[in-house]
Amino acid sequence: MKISYNWLKDYINLKLSPEELKDRMTFAGIEVEAVEQLGKNLKQIKIAKVVKFEQHPNAEKLSVCLVDDGTETKQVICGAPNCKNDIKVAFAGIGTQIQDFIIKKAKLRGELSFGMLCSESELGISTDHDGIMILPEDAPIGTDLASYLGLEDTCYDVEITPNRPDLLGIIGVARDLSALLELPLTLPESKLNASNEPIEDHLSLENKVPELCTRYTARMIKNVEVKDSPDWLKKKLISVGLRPINNVVDITNFVMMEFGHPLHAFDYSLINEKKIIVRSAKENEEFPALDEVTYKLKPEDVVIADENRAIALAGIIGGENSHITSSTKDIVIEAANFLYSSIRKTAGRMNISTDSSYRFERDITDEVAEFASIRACELILEIAGGELLKGKLDSFPTKKGLRKVSIRPSRAKKILSIEISPKQIIEYLTALGLNITKESEDNLEFEIPYYRKDLTREIDLIEEVIRLNGYNNVPTFLKSQNIMNKPVFFARRKIENLLVNYGFSEVVNWNFGDPKDLDKLKVNANDKRRDFAKLKNPLGESFSIMRSMLLPSLLKNALHNINHGQKNFRIFELKKVFTRKNEKLATEKLHLTGLLCGELNPVYWKDNSKQLDFYDVKGITEDILAELKLKNCEYQGSEEPYYQPGMGVDVTISGRLIASLGKIDPKIAVKFDINLPVFAIDIDLETIFTMDLFQDHVFEIIPKFPPVLRDVSFIIAKEHKYADIIETMRKAGKNVISKIVLFDEFAGKNIKDGFHSLTFSLVFSSDTKTLTDEYINNILKKVIKALINSYNTEMR
């Protein structure tokens, strides 16, 4: 169902913006499925003036017009019969989209056309397509049509739950919002001035199926003038997606959207024997509907008929044999209600869905029929003229009194878990139209208005209380749970996949450890890893603490593999380590530890075997850190006691230790009964994931311009750090050097002691242009100059 923002403002003084109102309606239980800005397409249409009108030289039914749109005069070819000089028109220039096509420059019979003069039908304003839309003389040239016609609005497409038929009209929504927003509700007051001529002298009513037609009312108006609706009525209908037809039909549609109760208008002259009969259809009875389809009916279908034929399919669609036309003079206004299940079955079997059936299927109330009938007749008399006959025909066989429902404030508090007073409950429910009839210590009795058929039990009233109080205002007693950190989750998965691609196997060990393992690794007494968490009731000494390091467990895994003849292996474990000093609970930190032993690659007959070395392990570590998008990592000698002197490295970023790697000291390895060279990697993932530098992968655009490679070779003192050299070259490269790779290192013959020769490959690239040789050579000169000034290098 569609709801107009501007139409709502006729009943409540809204202060909220359209976007704010959307959120409030959703929280109130009126789900907004879509929002449409009306008039958006009409803002492309400009008011223009035809300043010159001539017959097309090559086409009898076309004309050549010069049109002034306020900026310039353009030639337009037009085929409308009502086009002439000095009229204001709706002009669509080149590039304007109308419905499914875009206006383009065109040549029609040899003459160029630079736009289009539009009809109301083409613009979706009405069904009038007999000619172009002619605007009043005072319409300002150059103004967009939406602003001039006042068609700028916001339309909400809402889903109304089946238990709330009171919200099927804009007044119902306004009533709900007035209670929610604490705003006064202004409803239209209708008064009818009828003649002294009774309706019974001209029309009679017989309801043969009172169990299927729970109410049927009919009023009659003579001598109406069927014509176009006034602009205000057209705008209302357009704002909710309905197309204007004529003033009588438009009024019935207007009142349906206003009250949520469908109406139908019959041409009195087409009712045979001047009698309306509500009955069941005959087997295979044919009914010509307004959609130009003839339906075959069944006895379970309900029809509105005269003495000879069916003139409407009850609650679903009118008949072609009795509808309003321009020649209609006397009309009958039907306001009825039907059993919702009957309407649903008939509409479903025939595959018909109308605004009328949509409402009747949701069990609307009998009482609203009378209000809708009075409102429609009042508007018809005002807009179409005519004379209302005295009285009405009314079949209301099962009239019921108003229902009463009680609520206990103590029960509401218990269910809702909020503090709310009986006074507040009364204020909420009376704002919805309920009347308090009895008030005792813990019992409030309310009379339910006819339009709230859904309120039958105490729990229904409790639901209304919390809806108006606000679901979002209910206090929460549980902290929000962080179910999953997606960047960390995917980063872990990428690391695991990378290690598997490198030939690693993941191992899973118990989180329990042996404190003696730290002694074997020579971990210092004041090291934080000595602050382990002890178990109160361990399985034994070997499982008496929560592990503060993963390495001892992996060394035991390595021994197991070696003892079973597996001397070439790569294993890793990604688990938490635990430390506790004075805290009640242990601190948990995620670590990745890997262990490598044996040959670099599997044995292959064409290649010589090569044992793993320190640089292979360092390369794997660098790839892991690169996968985490970490930059500016610094490598320096490690102080870890379990690495072989000179064969261990710590990795830091901005002074924070994030990893270490190296060769396990053989003296340490022997303590674990291992006699083979073993290398280890230990990465503190917890620290990395909490750093601002950590980021999940984002898409990197492939460079449009080709990269250029250059090599630079120089002799430099060994005391200088590799990271410092790289940083010096990057700074001199002015963001043009995208990659620097060391691919050769030489020391010995012709190189002084304490020095070595380094050769780097530099990749130059740009996202904005192709780099010329001259530009690259200038950058390379700056790089060489920076190296000489910083490190006194000797270029080769």
Side-chain angles (χ1 to χ4, degrees):
M1 189 183 92
K2 295 183 182 295
I3 297 173
S4 161
Y5 176 79
N6 288 340
W7 198 341
L8 273 175
K9 292 171 72 174
D10 290 347
Y11 312 112
I12 50 176
N13 186 20
L14 284 172
K15 301 295 184 182
L16 300 177
S17 68
E19 185 64 27
E20 291 171 331
L21 180 61
K22 182 196 82 168
D23 294 337
R24 295 302 294 269
M25 283 198 295
T26 300
F27 273 109
I30 305 172
E31 182 182 355
V32 179
E33 294 186 328
V35 179
E36 181 185 359
Q37 298 299 326
L38 300 180
K40 185 177 180 181
N41 293 331
L42 291 181
K43 290 188 77 68
Q44 308 172 81
I45 311 300
K46 302 296 182 183
I47 297 175
K49 182 178 181 179
V50 178
V51 296
K52 187 177 181 181
F53 173 84
E54 293 180 346
Q55 181 67 41
H56 194 294
N58 303 317
E60 183 179 339
K61 294 185 178 181
L62 296 179
S63 56
V64 180
C65 306
L66 290 181
V67 177
D68 178 15
D69 67 354
T71 56
E72 57 181 318
T73 302
K74 300 173 183 177
Q75 179 172 292
V76 179
I77 308 302
C78 181
N82 61 339
C83 188
K84 56 186 178 181
N85 268 321
D86 297 326
I87 58 172
K88 300 287 180 66
V89 295
F91 171 65
I94 293 174
T96 302
Q97 181 170 347
I98 297 179
Q99 297 179 15
D100 294 330
F101 65 92
I102 297 175
I103 304 298
K104 299 178 180 178
K105 178 182 174 182
K107 182 177 282 190
L108 301 175
R109 295 291 185 92
E111 296 291 332
L112 289 174
S113 180
F114 296 90
M116 172 179 166
L117 305 186
C118 306
S119 69
E120 290 189 10
S121 175
E122 289 163 334
L123 297 176
I125 295 174
S126 74
T127 57
D128 184 5
H129 54 79
D130 293 335
I132 59 175
M133 182 179 187
I134 298 179
L135 299 167
E137 293 182 3
D138 60 352
I141 297 173
T143 304
D144 67 87
L145 194 62
S147 300
Y148 176 71
L149 296 178
L151 294 177
E152 293 178 284
D153 196 359
T154 300
C155 179
Y156 305 99
D157 197 344
V158 300
E159 178 61 33
I160 304 299
T161 55
N163 67 320
R164 293 296 306 274
D166 60 299
L167 297 179
L168 294 172
I170 293 179
I171 283 179
V173 175
R175 182 189 293 114
D176 223 50
L177 289 173
S178 74
L180 181 71
L181 303 175
E182 299 180 0
L183 295 173
L185 177 68
T186 304
L187 296 178
E189 295 182 2
S190 299
K191 293 182 180 179
L192 293 179
N193 294 316
S195 67
N196 293 323
E197 188 176 1
I199 188 173
E200 290 83 1
D201 292 349
H202 298 270
L203 190 67
S204 62
L205 169 66
E206 183 180 3
N207 184 0
K208 292 184 175 182
V209 284
E211 72 282 1
L212 299 178
C213 177
T214 55
R215 188 170 194 184
Y216 193 98
T217 68
R219 282 184 165 87
M220 182 174 170
I221 303 176
K222 297 173 64 176
N223 300 319
V224 299
E225 182 184 359
V226 179
K227 57 184 178 180
D228 275 353
S229 297
D231 288 341
W232 70 264
L233 182 53
K234 289 182 180 179
K235 291 175 186 177
K236 295 290 187 187
L237 296 180
I238 292 170
S239 70
V240 291
L242 297 179
R243 178 166 288 196
I245 299 173
N246 59 55
N247 53 359
V248 174
V249 175
D250 291 350
I251 287 169
T252 61
N253 286 334
F254 172 84
V255 174
M256 176 188 69
M257 294 305 302
E258 189 176 45
F259 282 89
H261 198 106
L263 303 171
H264 189 66
F266 297 102
D267 186 329
Y268 173 74
S269 66
L270 299 177
I271 300 175
N272 293 321
E273 305 300 328
K274 310 311 175 191
K275 183 176 183 179
I276 292 177
I277 303 171
V278 185
R279 61 172 173 84
S280 296
K282 301 170 185 176
E283 184 68 40
N284 292 324
E285 181 177 3
E286 292 189 347
F287 169 66
L290 283 172
D291 59 1
E292 300 180 351
V293 176
T294 299
Y295 296 94
K296 285 191 175 182
L297 308 180
K298 293 187 176 183
E300 56 263 35
D301 302 327
V302 180
V303 297
I304 312 302
D306 56 23
E307 287 285 6
N308 301 328
R309 61 197 174 154
I311 57 177
L313 187 55
I316 299 174
I317 193 169
E320 200 172 19
N321 52 14
S322 61
H323 72 290
I324 304 298
T325 65
S326 58
S327 61
T328 298
K329 293 298 181 184
D330 302 332
I331 63 173
V332 175
I333 300 298
E334 168 198 285
N337 196 20
F338 307 95
L339 184 65
Y340 65 94
S341 56
S342 172
I343 302 299
R344 186 179 301 149
K345 288 175 184 176
T346 299
R349 191 184 76 251
M350 295 183 176
N351 197 25
I352 306 175
S353 180
T354 62
D355 287 316
S356 177
S357 66
Y358 173 80
R359 286 164 173 80
F360 282 121
E361 286 173 11
R362 283 158 173 77
D363 195 18
I364 58 180
T365 57
D366 299 327
E367 290 81 2
V368 178
E370 174 67 2
F371 296 103
S373 176
I374 292 173
R375 174 71 163 158
C377 290
E378 178 193 41
L379 291 173
I380 291 172
L381 293 173
E382 177 185 329
I383 294 172
E387 180 183 348
L388 175 67
L389 300 190
K390 181 181 179 181
K392 68 176 183 291
L393 304 179
D394 191 354
S395 172
F396 197 179
T398 56
K399 189 172 184 179
K400 300 176 183 178
L402 296 179
R403 185 172 51 254
K404 293 181 179 180
V405 179
S406 296
I407 180 174
R408 292 165 290 171
S410 61
R411 180 67 175 164
K413 287 182 185 180
K414 185 175 181 180
I415 290 178
L416 301 177
S417 299
I418 61 173
E419 285 296 325
I420 188 165
S421 65
K423 180 182 178 183
Q424 186 65 62
I425 292 175
I426 294 172
E427 288 178 0
Y428 281 150
L429 296 180
T430 53
L432 290 171
L434 283 68
N435 292 318
I436 181 75
T437 57
K438 188 184 296 183
E439 183 177 353
S440 59
E441 184 176 350
D442 192 31
N443 187 71
L444 303 174
E445 184 182 78
F446 288 90
E447 187 177 66
I448 310 300
Y450 59 86
Y451 49 82
R452 291 304 301 270
K453 298 179 75 171
D454 58 308
L455 302 181
T456 60
R457 303 167 299 163
E458 180 184 35
I459 194 66
D460 297 327
L461 300 187
I462 292 174
E463 183 181 0
E464 292 301 293
V465 169
I466 191 59
R467 194 168 63 85
L468 294 184
N469 183 77
Y471 295 106
N472 54 325
N473 293 326
V474 177
T476 56
F477 302 102
L478 296 175
K479 294 182 179 179
S480 59
Q481 300 297 311
N482 186 7
I483 304 297
M484 183 176 73
N485 187 324
K486 285 189 177 181
V488 170
F489 174 82
F490 289 115
R492 288 181 58 168
R493 178 179 290 178
K494 288 170 184 175
I495 293 170
E496 290 168 339
N497 291 339
L498 177 66
L499 290 172
V500 169
N501 291 338
Y502 266 120
F504 281 76
S505 297
E506 185 174 7
V507 298
V508 179
N509 294 296
W510 284 8
N511 283 326
F512 307 137
D514 188 344
K516 293 179 181 178
D517 290 337
L518 300 180
D519 298 330
K520 292 179 182 179
L521 292 174
K522 293 185 177 180
V523 175
N524 295 329
N526 58 352
D527 194 296
K528 63 181 180 180
R529 288 169 291 189
R530 288 284 186 178
D531 298 326
F532 43 71
K534 294 181 181 179
L535 299 179
K536 285 187 176 181
N537 188 23
L539 296 174
E541 182 66 22
S542 298
F543 306 99
S544 61
I545 66 169
M546 300 293 287
R547 292 186 300 174
S548 60
M549 295 180 68
L550 303 180
L551 182 58
S553 298
L554 266 69
L555 287 169
K556 294 173 183 179
N557 297 143
L559 177 63
H560 179 80
N561 279 272
I562 293 169
N563 288 341
H564 286 77
Q566 298 294 330
K567 298 184 179 181
N568 297 315
F569 58 83
R570 302 179 186 186
I571 57 176
F572 77 93
E573 186 172 16
L574 202 163
K575 278 280 194 79
K576 290 184 176 180
V577 296
F578 304 84
T579 57
R580 182 176 68 181
K581 194 166 187 178
N582 298 318
E583 303 92 343
K584 184 175 181 181
L585 297 176
T587 300
E588 303 177 22
K589 297 187 73 175
L590 186 66
H591 268 246
L592 168 69
T593 301
L595 211 63
L596 304 88
C597 181
E599 296 179 346
L600 177 62
N601 295 310
V603 176
Y604 184 51
W605 65 274
K606 288 184 67 176
D607 297 330
N608 295 326
S609 61
K610 179 182 181 296
Q611 293 292 311
L612 279 163
D613 61 23
F614 171 83
Y615 293 102
D616 298 323
V617 179
K618 181 174 179 287
I620 294 172
T621 306
E622 288 174 337
D623 284 349
I624 295 172
L625 299 179
E627 188 70 24
L628 296 173
K629 294 292 183 181
L630 297 177
K631 299 178 181 179
N632 301 322
C633 297
E634 296 184 5
Y635 295 79
Q636 57 193 21
S638 177
E639 298 294 331
E640 293 289 7
Y642 45 81
Y643 289 137
Q644 183 175 328
M647 296 289 283
V649 167
D650 289 338
V651 185
T652 60
I653 294 181
S654 302
R656 297 181 68 182
L657 179 66
I658 61 168
S660 69
L661 63 124
K663 182 181 178 183
I664 300 296
D665 192 328
K667 297 175 183 178
I668 300 294
V670 166
K671 293 180 181 180
F672 289 89
D673 298 325
I674 297 174
N675 295 306
L676 296 175
V678 181
F679 295 88
I681 302 170
D682 184 59
I683 301 177
D684 184 353
L685 292 178
E686 193 75 30
T687 297
I688 291 173
F689 291 152
T690 56
M691 296 176 69
D692 293 337
L693 297 173
F694 167 68
Q695 58 181 349
D696 195 19
H697 277 199
V698 293
F699 175 72
E700 295 182 359
I701 299 174
I702 298 173
K704 297 180 181 180
F705 304 98
V708 179
L709 276 66
R710 290 284 192 275
D711 294 341
V712 60
S713 183
F714 49 85
I715 297 173
I716 190 171
K718 290 183 179 180
E719 62 187 25
H720 298 300
K721 293 182 180 179
Y722 167 80
D724 294 338
I725 298 171
I726 295 289
E727 184 63 22
T728 299
M729 288 192 284
R730 284 195 185 279
K731 286 183 178 179
K734 293 183 178 179
N735 298 323
V736 177
I737 300 176
S738 59
K739 189 175 182 181
I740 302 174
V741 178
L742 174 66
F743 69 88
D744 185 61
E745 188 254 355
F746 175 74
K749 189 176 180 181
N750 299 326
I751 303 293
K752 294 185 293 183
D753 290 340
F755 286 80
H756 57 171
S757 173
L758 302 179
T759 303
F760 289 87
S761 175
L762 279 59
V763 179
F764 296 81
S765 65
S766 172
D767 295 332
T768 59
K769 61 183 178 180
T770 300
L771 302 178
T772 63
D773 285 341
E774 181 181 359
Y775 182 82
I776 292 172
N777 290 336
N778 287 333
I779 295 295
L780 197 57
K781 287 178 182 178
K782 293 179 181 179
V783 170
I784 293 171
K785 184 178 180 180
L787 290 170
I788 293 173
N789 293 338
S790 300
Y791 308 109
N792 197 25
T793 56
E794 180 183 338
M795 306 310 297
R796 300 189 72 187

